[in-house]
Each structure stands twice: as structure tokens, then as C-alpha cells.
Amino acid sequence: EAGVTQSPTHLIKTRGQQATLRCSPISGHTSVYWYQQALGLGLQFLLWYDEGEERNRGNFPPRFSGRQFPNYSSELNVNALELEDSALYLCASSLYSGVSYNEQFFGPGTRLTVL
Amino acid sequence: AQKVTQAQTEISVVEKEDVTLDCVYETRDTTYYLFWYKQPPSGELVFLIRRNSFDEQNEISGRYSWNFQKSTSSFNFTITASQVVDSAVYFCALTPRDGQNFVFGPGTRLSVLP
């Protein structure tokens, strides 16, 4: 069974540009989560999508946005890139029944570098 | 508010030593889930264990064991007879039953030296 996949592996942008990161969840998983892992800062929760809807977002500015498609894949968009957006962006997927919560399975990440 | 504290930033042990990674959490929810993840140098987080707040039984899986103590809000992770391949960053995480908020601890970097 294929795991969570993310593309691209690496992304280099300059300040002010926009970045689009993509994630495909494990087959059958309806929830997708996005995290930012900046150097030395651990995992910071960005966004949670389930069944095509945004369920929750972390403490990030509105220029971080995303969406989930009918096939449950997801995109994370970062507008007006700033140097401090340089980080590893991790996507995770899980089964979410609305009653119980299951473990998240993580993808390999997209390393975004903003110059 | 929810919070996960992993007070040990970095730990170094020599192979075959036992090591315990501490995790202390804060939550007002009565139902919640706790997790441990491993992040090896390759970067991809690997799920290790899930525990719900109603299950305080300790768990052992091979060289890994977990001690969940609700009274002290701790969910500690012990590796017995550590190996070089155990070198990684280990994250403890917490979420309430409805999954509305996901909080990871800052991680503990474990280095197992040969």
C-alpha cells in the first residue's frame, strides 16, 4: 500500500513569490494535515482538511492557505513568501470518523527554501 | 489550552544502555489521545504508538515500552538496550477526541553512540 506522497521534494523560491505544495494521502484516508517544521522549532500545526473542508488551522497568517480536492489530495499555498517561511513542510493523513481519532501517517516532506 | 513538554532537548547514550524520554502534557479535555513519533535523519516521521486517555495500561513492544500516568500527566517512552539505529528525534503529541487541535512537543534528539 502506498504511503503519503508529497511533491516536490525540494522547492526554491525568492521572497514575494508564491509556493504550491502537494500531498496525496494514503488510500482511504479522508483527513490531511499540514505542518511546518522550521529549523529548531519542532512541528507547528498549519491546517487540517477533512472531506474537502478546512476543519482547523494553526496560528499562521492568511497567506498560508490550502484546499482539499474530491480525491482527498491537498494543496498548500504560501503567498508573498518570506525568508522565515524556509522550512520542511510535512503532510500527514489519517482516518477520521468524527468520533475517534487515529494516528497520522506522514509523508517525506517538501523542503522549501526562500532566498 | 493544550501543551506538550519534552524537557530533554538532547540525550546521548552508549549502545546497549537503556534510555527514557520524558513527555508531560497539559489538557482540560477528559478524552484525549497521546502519540509518540520517531523522526530519523531521513526526515519522515514514523508512528510508534497511540494511547487514549482511558487506557492507562503500560505497553511493551520489543525494546520499546511506554509508561502512561494520568496522575502526573506523563507519557514516558523507554528504549531498552539502545541501538545506533534508534538515533532520531522523538516527538510526543496530544490531541483531543474531536481532533480539533494537534500539539506536538518540541522533540528530543537521541544519539546512540557505538
Side-chain angles (χ1 to χ4, degrees):
Chain A
E1 180 182 321
V4 176
T5 59
Q6 292 186 245
S7 63
T9 305
H10 293 90
L11 190 57
I12 299 175
K13 295 285 187 177
T14 56
R15 285 177 60 187
Q17 286 189 314
Q18 179 199 40
T20 298
L21 289 64
R22 296 179 176 82
C23 172
S24 291
I26 290 173
S27 178
H29 286 187
T30 61
S31 277
V32 170
Y33 312 85
W34 287 96
Y35 294 88
Q36 182 194 66
Q37 189 176 24
L39 195 61
L41 290 181
L43 273 78
Q44 304 296 316
F45 167 66
L46 263 166
L47 289 159
W48 171 32
Y49 293 96
D50 183 68
E51 297 283 3
E53 293 188 13
E54 182 180 301
R55 300 288 183 167
N56 198 18
R57 66 178 292 131
N59 188 24
F60 281 84
R63 56 190 187 82
F64 286 85
S65 64
R67 54 180 173 167
Q68 186 178 33
F69 299 100
N71 66 355
Y72 302 117
S73 67
S74 177
E75 255 180 20
L76 173 68
N77 294 295
V78 187
N79 294 320
L81 284 166
E82 300 178 2
L83 295 178
E84 52 264 33
D85 296 333
S86 295
L88 180 67
Y89 288 83
L90 293 166
C91 170
S93 74
S94 79
L95 285 169
Y96 176 63
S97 68
V99 175
S100 65
Y101 180 73
N102 298 292
E103 61 270 22
Q104 298 177 21
F105 294 86
F106 283 79
T110 292
R111 185 160 297 281
L112 172 64
T113 301
V114 182
L115 303 176
Chain B
Q2 301 192 110
K3 185 178 178 181
V4 175
T5 301
Q6 294 179 257
Q8 305 148 308
T9 306
E10 294 190 37
I11 301 176
S12 287
V13 298
V14 176
E15 209 171 13
K16 297 184 182 177
E17 286 185 1
D18 299 346
V19 58
T20 295
L21 310 182
D22 297 333
C23 173
V24 174
Y25 62 92
E26 295 176 28
T27 181
R28 293 179 182 171
D29 296 296
T30 56
T31 303
Y32 50 89
Y33 294 86
L34 294 162
F35 303 83
W36 275 96
Y37 287 87
K38 173 183 179 180
Q39 188 177 36
S42 61
E44 192 164 339
L45 272 83
V46 176
F47 165 76
L48 295 177
I49 190 172
R50 175 184 75 157
R51 175 68 69 223
N52 74 51
S53 51
F54 294 107
D55 182 2
E56 290 193 67
Q57 285 189 344
N58 292 328
E59 182 158 337
I60 297 174
S61 176
R63 296 184 297 105
Y64 295 169
S65 62
W66 290 269
N67 184 356
F68 176 31
Q69 291 198 343
K70 221 169 171 180
S71 60
T72 57
S73 297
S74 65
F75 186 40
N76 296 335
F77 172 32
T78 298
I79 302 175
T80 303
S82 60
Q83 300 176 1
V84 173
V85 293
D86 295 328
S87 297
V89 180
Y90 291 86
F91 292 95
C92 180
L94 164 72
T95 190
R97 188 185 70 173
D98 62 6
Q100 286 292 328
N101 192 14
F102 311 99
V103 179
F104 278 73
T108 296
R109 181 177 298 279
L110 173 65
S111 297
V112 181
L113 307 174

